[in-house]
Amino acid sequence: MSPRARTPLVAANWKMHLTRGPAVRLVEEILRMRPLPEAVQVVICPPATALDAVGRVLAGTPIVLGAQTMHWEPQGAFTGELSAPMLVDAGCGAVIVGHSERRLYFGETDEGVGKKVQAAFAHGLTPVACVGERLEQREAGEADAIITRQVRAAVGGVAREAFPRLVIAYEPVWAIGTGRTATGEEADRVAGVIRRLIGTAGGPAAADGVRILYGGSVKPDNIREFLRQPEIDGALVGGASLHAGSFVAIVRAAAE
Ligand code: PGA
């Protein structure tokens, strides 16, 4: 049995990679490497065009299908967007919201992230809300202030009883796709800041229940440095999730 207070969670963010054929082959390869540890919750977030195909392969397995973003409205004139009911219909149980690439390249705001978190909960999806400071913000000593603003906005409308279903991913922007990571101690410190903010917003049970992931250049050879930190409950994995071997190695490490 895992000595951890919370069920560890490892989420794969495939970003804008893989058409349906390779996506299905990757997930089949991951499933062939079973048994995956039961003590770890695994979420796989393919691009939207592959959700249905990957979801069919995952059906009946404990792996949760997730989307990489969504709109907060259930329907409407929002060309190109997908809603929570559409994601549920495609088989999703989770959705990433507020990823730094969405914030940076597509103008996502703190306010929009808050609305998306609420919409996810309203439709039974687990939101994986991403927060993280950019390099210049860290160097200016603003990291904690940025994280505080992002977390408050993300969870402002969350009902107390929903907090144990909430997942926050701390992803320092300068660590994403760069091969550079935060130290385990610093990631743990920031995760502690996040947990205290959640406690202020939702009370002690919320702080105890919320799962906080680290993300940013997570690989099989550095994942343990993060997972041994008391405040870190798992990882959001980009590049290393595109290979079955490295992704499964990270999932297995989360069960140790
Ligand atoms: P990376 O991406 O693991 O490739 O750094 C992480 C993420 O953006 O979620």
Side-chain angles (χ1 to χ4, degrees):
M1 218 179 91
S2 163
R4 293 173 167 276
R6 293 164 285 274
T7 303
L9 190 154
V10 176
N13 176 10
W14 289 358
K15 306 193 181 184
M16 198 172 72
H17 294 286
L18 305 180
T19 52
R20 287 176 301 166
V24 164
R25 283 198 288 282
L26 175 54
V27 86
E28 283 173 346
E29 207 184 329
I30 290 168
L31 290 173
R32 270 200 302 276
M33 296 175 82
R34 280 190 289 192
L36 294 175
E38 282 174 23
V40 181
Q41 190 179 358
V42 178
V43 179
I44 294 184
C45 305
T49 47
L51 281 174
D52 184 60
V54 170
R56 284 170 201 271
V57 180
L58 292 180
T61 77
I63 298 181
V64 174
L65 182 71
Q68 298 175 13
T69 184
M70 65 169 202
H71 198 277
W72 56 80
E73 291 291 343
Q75 62 195 32
F78 299 102
T79 301
E81 291 289 323
L82 299 172
S83 69
M86 290 170 182
L87 298 184
V88 170
D89 181 54
C92 291
V95 60
I96 299 171
V97 298
H99 190 281
S100 64
E101 287 152 14
R102 304 278 334 157
R103 294 178 189 256
L104 190 62
Y105 304 129
F106 305 102
E108 285 209 10
T109 62
D110 286 343
E111 189 198 353
V113 173
K115 289 186 192 167
K116 290 178 183 199
V117 168
Q118 285 189 57
F121 277 131
H123 295 278
L125 293 166
T126 296
V128 180
C130 301
V131 299
E133 80 287 356
R134 298 197 306 271
L135 185 60
E136 66 273 18
Q137 294 167 330
R138 170 156 289 267
E139 286 173 346
E142 295 167 355
D144 289 14
I146 298 291
I147 300 295
T148 299
R149 194 194 72 209
Q150 292 176 339
V151 171
R152 284 195 182 136
V155 307
V158 174
R160 277 185 176 235
E161 60 277 9
F163 276 101
R165 288 198 288 129
L166 176 68
V167 181
I168 303 257
Y170 170 53
E171 298 203 303
V173 177
W174 45 272
I176 295 176
T178 59
R180 213 179 137 186
T181 63
T183 63
E185 290 70 27
E186 176 58 9
D188 190 58
R189 190 193 66 77
V190 176
V193 170
I194 295 170
R195 200 174 296 286
R196 281 191 292 282
L197 288 165
I198 299 296
T200 306
D208 282 351
V210 66
R211 280 177 295 172
I212 301 175
L213 315 181
Y214 169 78
S217 298
V218 167
K219 304 274 179 315
D221 61 4
N222 63 26
I223 181 65
R224 287 177 183 79
E225 175 174 352
F226 299 104
L227 290 171
R228 69 164 175 258
Q229 310 295 336
E231 300 290 2
I232 297 178
D233 305 308
L236 178 55
V237 188
S241 74
L242 291 169
H243 304 278
S246 49
F247 183 64
V248 169
I250 291 167
V251 172
R252 293 205 169 120
E256 288 171 0

